[in-house]
Amino acid sequence: TRTSKELKAQNVSNIIWSLLMFAAARGVPLPGCYPSLWRAACGLDVSSFDVKQLASMFHAHLMHTELVNGDVEEVGFPAWVMHEAREAWLRDVRDNITVSRNHREVASILKALGVRHE
């Protein structure tokens, strides 16, 4: 059987993101191996992830902290999640989204009110 030490960056990002998607969207409990997947991510160098995988890792971090955090044991995140992965996710959001007139209007109102938003 495969252990988390044998997983490559693509495997780690795909599995973590998929598990969190099911947990957040459908309430599927995270498996016992979930923390070991994040430990495996911590052991990988940021350069082993491509831009899409980094964006997926930050999205997974968001799902974990915002949607399922209370339902699982505490896990450690790689330092690069809040830096390189966050930047990859923000670039992807900016570059690959169709912004409607309503979205632009809400953004301008938030800006006028002094509310920071991304």
Side-chain angles (χ1 to χ4, degrees):
T1 63
R2 239 184 174 168
T3 65
S4 61
K5 292 178 183 176
E6 298 170 333
L7 294 174
K8 303 216 180 311
Q10 181 177 359
N11 304 122
V12 171
S13 65
N14 287 345
I15 294 168
I16 290 175
W17 186 89
S18 298
L19 290 173
L20 282 162
M21 183 57 72
F22 279 113
R26 305 216 178 209
V28 175
L30 291 167
C33 67
Y34 175 73
S36 67
L37 291 164
W38 278 108
R39 282 192 295 277
C42 289
L44 293 168
D45 188 78
V46 67
S47 64
S48 61
F49 293 86
D50 68 23
V51 174
K52 290 290 186 188
Q53 293 159 0
L54 283 172
S56 291
M57 291 300 287
F58 184 73
H59 189 207
H61 173 265
L62 287 177
M63 288 188 286
H64 176 98
T65 57
E66 299 296 325
L67 302 174
V68 299
N69 189 33
D71 300 334
V72 297
E73 68 179 80
E74 192 170 319
V75 298
F77 301 106
W80 47 258
V81 162
M82 292 307 295
H83 303 287
E84 291 90 344
R86 180 178 180 272
E87 286 304 313
W89 183 80
L90 286 171
R91 267 192 315 275
D92 189 50
V93 168
R94 278 191 299 261
D95 296 346
N96 294 320
I97 192 163
T98 302
V99 180
S100 70
R101 185 179 67 223
N102 289 339
H103 285 104
R104 282 191 293 274
E105 186 176 333
V106 168
S108 67
I109 291 169
L110 289 172
K111 184 176 180 180
L113 293 171
V115 177
R116 292 190 68 220
H117 63 284
E118 295 178 4

